Amino acid sequence: MEKKTKRRDFLFTATYAVGAVGAGAVIWPMIDQMNPDASVKALASTEVDVSAVNPGKTITVLWRGKPVFIRRRTQEEIAEAKSVKLEDLKHPEKDEDRAKNPEWLVMLGVCTHLGCVPLDQKGDYNGWFCPCHGSHYDTSGRIRKGPAPTNMEIPEYKFVDANTIKIG
Amino acid sequence: MSEHEYTPKSKVGKWFNDRLPLLTLANHLTDYPTPKNLNYWWTFGGILTFCLITQIVTGLVLAMHYIAHADMAFSSVEHIMRDVNYGWLIRYIHANGASMFFLAVYIHIFRSLFYGSYKSPREIIWIIGIIIYLLMMAAAFLGYVLPWGQMSFWGATVITNLFSAIPLVGEGIVTWLWGGYSVDNPTLTRFFTLHYLIPFLILGLVVLHIWALHVPGNNNPIGIDIKKPSKDTVPFHPYIVIKDGFALLMFMIVFAFFVFYTPNILGHADNYIEANPLVTPAHIVPEWYLLPFYAILRSVPDKLLGVIAMLSAILILAALPWLDTSKIRSAVFRPLYKQFYWILVADVLILGYVGAMPAEGLYLLIARIATAYYFLHFLVVLPVLGFKERTTPVPLSITEPILGGSPNLATVKKKDSFKDQ
């Protein structure tokens, strides 16, 4: 009697376990089908010609459906970005780490609060200002004031040649 | 449920009813004993059913002409407005119908708050109602994205980004919701599917909501338990049917006013500009019915805490039957609660107003105070009030105060004298 019950318990547990694995195997494809598909992933990189961008000008390009700001900064802006003390920053990052070539700032034009596109050359820090919930960014795209938790993101990019930037 | 056995009169009816008791159900619904003192605030259940059916029918028709694709959605909506026969009418009914639905649901919810309809034994009705309300908000949000205008696109971006506040998995969840790296065509197609699904989920929950209601029966303006059926009740048909019908007609006048005279007043002009991922509108505001929660979100300076505060503001309602410790249901007999009730109404209206204003300066300060008070009401005022408040005497039945001639005090004296005899 005792032995029989144990055998049955084992069978129940084994059945539940196999059932759970089976259910998981069926549910996962239903969940994963919502993740970015192959055609979306295929658009992962963009090349941009920046020869026409003069100092003090920003161009916006679309990469993965998101705007990327490419700003050729003026000497004053670079100086301003470099002069900020790290302890004054909510999300401390050196300007050198954000713009390897200090003249060019390439970053996702997406506010890190809730994803709006900040406006160029606005706000209290001469950088960007997000109109949605009032986040102010400096000339290096770092968050200085407002609800956004982090600096605007720097995507992976490189200069293919002097006038072409490859994003992604 | 049925106190008396029902048998259909006709032979065919009996044959059918023995196999599927639909006629018994119909009989239960017509004879259903209803408190005879229900006022017009009780007519919004019927009005809401009308709203749900209107949205389903007009939505079904719109879906015949709408194209869920990022390149075509905006023009297909314009096509509905300009080319489809009566397309403008159907779309305006659907768009304004969402607002009317929320108007009715807010009145319905605040009626429950005033008369304590959420209290024992009606907690499950209340919780199902909160789930319906959450689904309504989801359906409204998803539907607002479909015309693919600027507000659609940026509203979708902001709301889906709320999930990015979740530590560690947040970003992954947002990408999963989008089906890409931004709101785009995959987002639109799934939003359309879910927008189509949710009303039917609501319909199922409405059946449960009414089923759960028919177990204890309706609450009533004096909030006492009544004997059913008795002198305190009237049958649902024709008494309540006629009253609900009259209220529905009045409601439809308001509805028609919006549809025919100011069909766009509750919307935003920006949504007649096609979605552009490169430009955010200067001022993003949700539809009016979500503004109080939007104000709560923005009043908290931290991203994650803001999202938590906003969700808690809704979910706290589900705990209401246990947060309100008072045994007396109706605010009629709760002099203090009645005042706090109206303060809460004002508080929510203020939150709605500041939610529409820019989040800065004085508006932000007001939003913060109003948010704090909102939680204070549910977490402190209600639990404490149940113990501290001196309630006024509650009549024994609905008929008693009427036959006794008038207000409570007189009735109570009478009640006591009855006891003496």
Side-chain angles (χ1 to χ4, degrees), chain B residues 103-131:
Chain B
L103 175 68
V105 93
Y106 282 129
I107 295 174
H108 194 64
I109 290 171
F110 274 100
R111 187 266 298 164
S112 289
L113 293 182
F114 188 85
Y115 294 112
S117 302
Y118 48 84
K119 289 185 198 183
S120 173
R122 297 184 180 82
E123 302 95 322
I124 298 295
I125 313 173
W126 172 256
I127 289 170
I128 292 171
I130 298 298
I131 298 170

Side-chain angles (χ1 to χ4, degrees), chain A residues 13-56:
Chain A
T13 311
T15 312
Y16 293 144
V18 172
V21 171
V26 174
I27 289 167
W28 177 244
M30 303 306 265
I31 294 171
D32 193 42
Q33 54 83 22
M34 281 175 68
N35 272 319
D37 61 34
S39 73
V40 171
K41 284 180 182 160
L43 301 172
S45 74
T46 309
E47 289 198 7
V48 190
D49 177 14
V50 293
S51 54
V53 184
N54 296 318

Side-chain angles (χ1 to χ4, degrees), chain A residues 114, chain B residues 141 154-163 286 290 294 297 310:
Chain A
L114 293 173
Chain B
F141 160 68
W154 291 102
T157 301
V158 168
I159 300 295
T160 46
N161 260 310
L162 293 178
F163 291 92
L290 302 177
Y294 193 59
L297 168 75
M310 185 180 67

Side-chain angles (χ1 to χ4, degrees), chain B residues 276-356:
Chain B
N276 180 356
L278 293 180
V279 182
T280 306
H283 191 44
I284 294 190
V285 212
E287 293 286 83
W288 68 269
Y289 38 81
L290 302 177
L291 286 174
F293 301 110
Y294 193 59
I296 291 174
L297 168 75
R298 297 194 306 180
S299 70
V300 182
D302 182 83
K303 182 169 162 179
L304 178 61
L305 292 178
V307 175
I308 291 173
M310 185 180 67
L311 290 177
S312 319
I314 305 167
L315 295 178
I316 203 168
L317 293 171
L320 189 56
W322 296 276
L323 289 173
D324 185 347
T325 49
S326 175
K327 293 274 181 293
I328 307 297
R329 290 196 193 100
S330 174
V332 170
F333 308 107
R334 300 184 61 189
L336 281 177
Y337 173 71
K338 201 191 276 178
Q339 291 172 35
F340 282 109
Y341 170 85
W342 289 112
I343 296 173
L344 179 73
V345 172
D347 189 62
V348 172
L349 291 175
I350 289 168
L351 279 172
Y353 174 72
V354 292

